[in-house]
Amino acid sequence: MADKKLVEAITSMDEDFAQWYTDVVKKAELIDYSNVKGCMVFKPAGYAIWELIQRQLDDMFKATGVENVYMPMFIPESLLEKEKDHVEGFAPEVAWVTHGGLNPLQERMCVRPTSETLFCDFYKGDIHSYRDLPRVYNQWCSVVRWEKETRPFLRSREFLWQEGHTAHSTAQEAQERTEQMLNVYAQFCEEVLAIPVVKGRKTDKEKFAGAEATYTIEALMHDGKALQSGTSHNFGDGFAKAFGIQFTDKDNTLKYVHQTSWGMSTRIIGAIIMVHGDNSGLVLPPRVAPTQVMIVPIQQKKEGVLDKAYELKEKLGNFRVKVDDSDKSPGWKFSEQEMRGIPIRIEIGPKDIEAGKCVVCRRDNGEKTEVNLADLEKEVADILQDIQESMYNKAKAHLASHIYEARTKEEFVKTFAEKSGFVKAMWCGERECEEKIKEDMSVTSRCMPYEQECLSDTCVYCGKPAKKMVYWGRAY
Amino acid sequence: MADKKLVEAITSMDEDFAQWYTDVVKKAELIDYSNVKGCMVFKPAGYAIWELIQRQLDDMFKATGVENVYMPMFIPESLLEKEKDHVEGFAPEVAWVTHGGLNPLQERMCVRPTSETLFCDFYKGDIHSYRDLPRVYNQWCSVVRWEKETRPFLRSREFLWQEGHTAHSTAQEAQERTEQMLNVYAQFCEEVLAIPVVKGRKTDKEKFAGAEATYTIEALMHDGKALQSGTSHNFGDGFAKAFGIQFTDKDNTLKYVHQTSWGMSTRIIGAIIMVHGDNSGLVLPPRVAPTQVMIVPIQQKKEGVLDKAYELKEKLGNFRVKVDDSDKSPGWKFSEQEMRGIPIRIEIGPKDIEAGKCVVCRRDNGEKTEVNLADLEKEVADILQDIQESMYNKAKAHLASHIYEARTKEEFVKTFAEKSGFVKAMWCGERECEEKIKEDMSVTSRCMPYEQECLSDTCVYCGKPAKKMVYWGRAY
Ligand SMILES: [Zn+2]
Ligand SMILES: [Zn+2]
């Protein structure tokens, strides 16, 4: 029924998932490559998803006491160098500004790859007493990392994100904030993006440069690969000591603050695409769909049809609704609405109007229902709600059915050879072992989950005594 | 009555307006200087104002069909150089990135000082047919200009702004969009920021690098100096020709698009401070006040006082309300609320509670009213509305009383020697004459207002035949 032109242009996801992804990104008009190497253009349909993410995540932040600020985008080299692990991690991949106007700078500066050093430099002058604590700041900005290979949303030289940076008077409070923000990310993914996640701690090898501990949420894409979707770091007092951030506590002694940082980026849009998308294109969860309902008039040149379509749009004023009144064919419009992942399509033509009805079609499962126009508002609310839940349940079932267990090296290797998904297995806790696994199998530790199980007494790979259960996977 | 410590710390605005401004910016905790030379830190109180500006201005944009996008922050040198006037205007003041990671770049790139070139480069590949027009895109981002002297909000090396960039099929449509956006800015300033403005066109000397015509809104600060508060540019087809942005029109011929751009920046926060502030600090218009009502409990340790304060906060849930429950004295809290420009203070103590009343104090005029707790919600709504209007009317009266007229050179010189404000005077239209005025008197043409009058037949400065009436002024 639908005009197939648009749809034929995308590769089947079962045939070539990577190509399918690129096709969807382009055809749904989310992003365009720019002539600035490694940088992307966020087109209206892509940026609008980010705006909806921002508003809802920001509201969740503020409910926990977060305040937004804005720090400079440049970091002088001497500032970047203050924390040893941090500079080692980031210096090789930053962009350097060496000239201002016509003159060389006395000291070169990088464009922020992340802003720990800037927040620390600020906190040093801003925090004096226990009364100044906690500081729970966040900023929405873009950051730059000089990546060699780039992919839309997943990896680009410039990307958009939020980065929270907090300072606390005790180690315990910092640890609580670290976990609190990880929970906010998990809740946001599950409730707003309909993406279930695995929560846990990163191994030392995979943790953030300069952190004492990094926590992560890991989502599973349709192809069985993992995507790190948000991270929360506890820095202890390491940065505070490097930068000299001290405060006078209630007992009148000088103490170092304890710090955290946490971030989520436009990468998460890649997760939305790869968790929910299908062979007709993008499928957006209603809560982040810039357009939730597309009304497609049938025989729109017939008298009264377009007027009725506009009338329905007015009636559905509580939702994000558009009327496709372009001069394309209905079939073309259907394909386009499907490609763009718009959750609900309403078809309305002369016969429907006569009968006081319209056809409501769901993007997630293709189900069509005839709805009385009088009930439309309530029906749309219910269906959007149901789509949001169904999408989550479907993704959750997919995740559950792609978690495997391995107790022996043989089983471990075989599972990764035959299946795609997470493999739970015991690990000795040693970095060399983890590096060997990566080298041999292109598999990385995704996290040590909060919910630990004891699958065996020995490390799945080297046979030494087991310390932790780890989720292993291939990752974006 | 109020604890004077905080207040004494700021310089009187009549004594030293520049110092008063710096004091307010610091004491109201809007901004902090950073160790990154020429860049500022937006603290929570400052950034929250920007967030309120963003949301409301963005809503006004979207109501006119604007869509938000995001372009890369870097501009390759060859791209910046494509439009001759534009590169001449901006190249001397950009920051250059020359290295990515450990390697020198093949071509250096600047951090965007403005994004005309990036939008043009994008539009060139994006626009093919009249069906693709108009494109009405905007982005919220930060830009960098390598200024030598900087002042909080008014001039810094990095600042936040929005930049709209549109493409149209006809010259007329581009001109209409240019004026439409100028009107949006004027309406926003008047209705949201309570700042009256003068609308007009810039002279060729003062227009944007690469524009055919620049339109501006000019606001008058308390000290009689002007602040350019928003600009809207019509590029005609100049950029389109430089970049080769063509489309196939309905008549099947290839045509160049006509373009506009328009921007408003964090500079406008400087205007809010300098238009409305007084010797007790900041005075915020309710519509951009992050906190609209501060509840100060009196004798807060007495039973029931704090509970009542929290109860009132709940009751006023439709407004942005905080309770100052810190252990500072009420007098200190009053000073702080005044310094931060919070429009309404509610004082509530044991006697008030017994009488079922509270005291409502307005920041703009210091007026105190006893209000029955039962009427509080309605009263607060009314008072906020009245503050918003009164602030606008006061600023409008100030503007009106600081506009002067000059018909002769003598009068022109004398007025600027004795008064501060705008001076309306006729001008010959010649650049040399305008440059001479600037050189001799440190006065610049602010705009050629929409509403032209004929004050004289000859130019106020050189005596040649007059072409335009101009608003002249000293400017930030
Ligand atoms: Zn091992
Ligand atoms: Zn003249």
Side-chain angles (χ1 to χ4, degrees), chain A residues 427-428 433 459 462:
Chain A
W427 173 57
C428 59
C433 177
C459 173
C462 71

Side-chain angles (χ1 to χ4, degrees), chain A residues 307-439:
Chain A
D307 286 342
K308 195 69 184 180
Y310 298 136
E311 188 192 313
L312 294 186
K313 176 172 155 46
E314 287 303 308
K315 201 169 167 176
L316 297 172
N318 287 333
F319 310 97
R320 297 185 285 272
V321 183
K322 280 190 178 166
V323 175
D324 189 345
D325 53 9
S326 68
D327 54 10
K328 297 165 188 161
S329 71
W332 181 276
K333 292 176 185 180
F334 294 175
S335 294
E336 204 159 51
Q337 167 260 327
E338 287 167 7
M339 181 63 69
R340 290 168 178 272
I342 296 165
I344 286 180
R345 176 174 78 228
I346 293 178
E347 305 166 15
I348 180 112
K351 281 181 195 159
D352 305 299
I353 296 171
E354 213 173 306
K357 296 186 173 186
C358 65
V359 175
V360 174
C361 182
R362 286 171 65 142
R363 174 64 182 92
D364 65 326
N365 61 13
E367 221 172 85
K368 285 189 172 199
T369 332
E370 256 195 17
V371 173
N372 281 323
L373 294 182
D375 306 330
L376 188 59
E377 205 177 339
K378 186 176 175 323
E379 278 293 321
V380 165
D382 290 348
I383 293 172
L384 286 175
Q385 177 71 24
D386 195 64
I387 293 175
Q388 184 80 31
E389 284 166 20
S390 304
M391 286 177 71
Y392 177 72
N393 291 334
K394 192 176 158 195
K396 185 138 179 109
H398 180 263
L399 170 61
S401 67
H402 288 77
I403 298 177
Y404 307 94
E405 291 179 4
R407 283 173 180 74
T408 63
K409 182 167 177 180
E410 200 185 353
E411 216 182 345
F412 193 59
V413 172
K414 189 164 182 278
T415 309
F416 272 114
E418 291 172 2
K419 312 278 188 187
S420 60
F422 289 123
V423 177
K424 298 197 282 191
M426 303 308 291
W427 173 57
C428 59
E430 285 178 28
R431 195 180 181 119
E432 298 73 42
C433 177
E434 189 182 352
E435 277 164 359
K436 186 103 177 60
I437 293 174
K438 187 172 178 186
E439 205 186 299

Side-chain angles (χ1 to χ4, degrees), chain B residues 113-151:
Chain B
T114 179
S115 304
E116 276 72 14
T117 52
L118 292 161
F119 275 87
C120 284
D121 193 47
F122 171 71
Y123 283 146
K124 182 182 157 58
D126 186 54
I127 295 169
H128 306 286
S129 143
Y130 69 91
R131 284 196 183 84
D132 301 325
L133 295 171
R135 284 276 185 261
V136 186
Y137 288 173
N138 174 66
Q139 71 178 0
W140 293 91
C141 63
S142 80
V143 289
V144 169
R145 296 178 189 176
W146 217 250
E147 305 282 358
K148 294 211 173 66
E149 302 207 5
T150 59
R151 294 194 64 191

Side-chain angles (χ1 to χ4, degrees), chain A residues 107-168:
Chain A
E107 180 187 9
R108 65 177 186 166
M109 305 182 307
C110 70
V111 179
R112 64 183 160 221
T114 178
S115 303
E116 277 72 16
T117 53
L118 292 161
F119 275 87
C120 284
D121 194 48
F122 171 72
Y123 282 145
K124 182 182 158 58
D126 187 53
I127 294 170
H128 307 287
S129 145
Y130 69 91
R131 284 198 183 84
D132 301 325
L133 295 170
R135 284 275 186 261
V136 186
Y137 289 173
N138 173 67
Q139 71 177 0
W140 293 91
C141 63
S142 80
V143 289
V144 169
R145 298 179 188 174
W146 218 250
E147 307 282 358
K148 294 211 176 65
E149 300 208 5
T150 59
R151 294 194 64 190
F153 294 117
L154 302 177
R155 199 173 295 279
S156 54
R157 288 189 171 170
E158 181 187 7
F159 59 91
L160 303 174
W161 79 345
Q162 60 66 220
E163 46 177 328
H165 296 269
T166 72
H168 305 270

Side-chain angles (χ1 to χ4, degrees), chain B residues 426-430 432-434 437 459-465:
Chain B
M426 303 309 290
W427 172 56
C428 59
E430 285 178 27
E432 299 74 43
C433 177
E434 188 182 353
I437 293 174
C459 172
V460 77
Y461 212 69
C462 72
K464 285 186 191 160

